Amino acid sequence: MSQQKTIAFFPEAAFGPALNSVGIAQACEALGHRAVFITDPGMGGVYSGYGFDEYPVNMSEPMPAEQMAKYWSDFINGHIPNFRKPPLEQLDNYVKECWEAIVDTSVWAQKELPGVLDEIKPDLICIDNVILFPAAKRHGVPWVRIISCSENEIPDPAIPPHLSGCGEQDKEGFARFEKRFLEVTAPTHDRFNAFLRECGEQPYPAGQFFEASPWLNLLLYPEAVRFKRSRPLNPQLFQYLEGCVRTEAPWQVPRFGVHNDAPLLYVSFGSLGAGDTELLARIIGVLGALPYRVLVNVGDYAHAHRDPPANVQIDSWYPQPSVIPRVDLVIHHGGNNSFTECLYFGKPAIIMPYVWDGHDNATRVHETGHGMKMDRYRWEDAELAANIERLLGDSQMKARLAETSSAMQRGRGPQQAAQALDKLLG
């Protein structure tokens, strides 16, 4: 181990990247380093809850917490109709608006980030985001890019474009999606390039909002689902990890009103997807009539799910790395945490994607035989019941998942990442 150094983690203001970075930070501190987090105020308390110092940086116009909560609630509710659309049709609405907001985060962060970095005095900066923050690149210390979403954030002509949800062989789909993505994001990209010039950075090619780090890039995609690239990534600069599952406190399976010896299911669509209360209510209704025990993560929307069936329990949050090992099957949205945790613990998953890399992860799980992809809305009650029964009884899938789980746990992703960062610091 090198001498104790300060590592600043700067994940996107979303629970997926945030909690993956927590896993790596825990392993870095086990090596004797000091890990701190740069965070949007809206994520304040997440990292301190794991014992890390937090340094807030506004990445949007400051506003009271209640007003910010309403802003995000309105954003979610406004896009629920778009959740029903396939990835190509989401480009003109959800994806376009997300990239506009993402560029805004980089512009806003430039007001405070330089001063915060001067205060932290990091020896290394780790960024898990899809966009460049010029202040981090120009601070004068090595910076590392963490890619916790699908590995196709680093493009290759032979693999599906990021966010497309295309199958590996759908070359026509690749071209169609890429063409429309460039058209839709062109005005936002032009605005971002103007900002980069103001910061002394070179503009990016069309469609590119970030770059690979010249020091180190960590990809969390497990080997079992990895894409076959036409241009292999340089292993000195790109290291694959077998996920970065964080450590959580132990969790005990609760007692249910009925079916206490039945298989245990876990349902979670993430903090954003929990706002789709009609869909969750429908799933709760279907599962409530089946011979299973069911845990449902409803986020901030418990008020919309009063009096669940006796075999269903709801909560606003679950410590997934302690819960998923105890369940028999997971129904989720394809977010990077749920995606890698199911593989890490060897649990079959039914993925109902709705936005972003969930489309890519759902397709990849289906293609590699680690679970199945279902349309988020177009299904019959009997179809969902039959798919659950089939996956619970699929011995070949269980064997494949057990093999993947064993490989991922042997890989010790957080520790591997910490060792790579330690070597870079040395």
Side-chain angles (χ1 to χ4, degrees), residues 129-153:
N129 210 306
V130 294
I131 196 162
L132 176 71
F133 292 88
K137 178 182 176 183
R138 301 175 69 83
H139 187 64
V141 300
W143 62 275
V144 172
R145 182 175 177 184
I146 301 173
I147 299 163
S148 63
C149 294
S150 173
E151 67 157 323
N152 60 1
E153 275 189 36

Side-chain angles (χ1 to χ4, degrees), residues 1-20:
M1 189 197 79
S2 61
Q3 280 187 316
Q4 185 188 60
K5 301 291 178 65
T6 296
I7 304 173
F9 287 88
F10 187 14
E12 180 185 344
F15 281 100
L19 296 177
N20 283 326

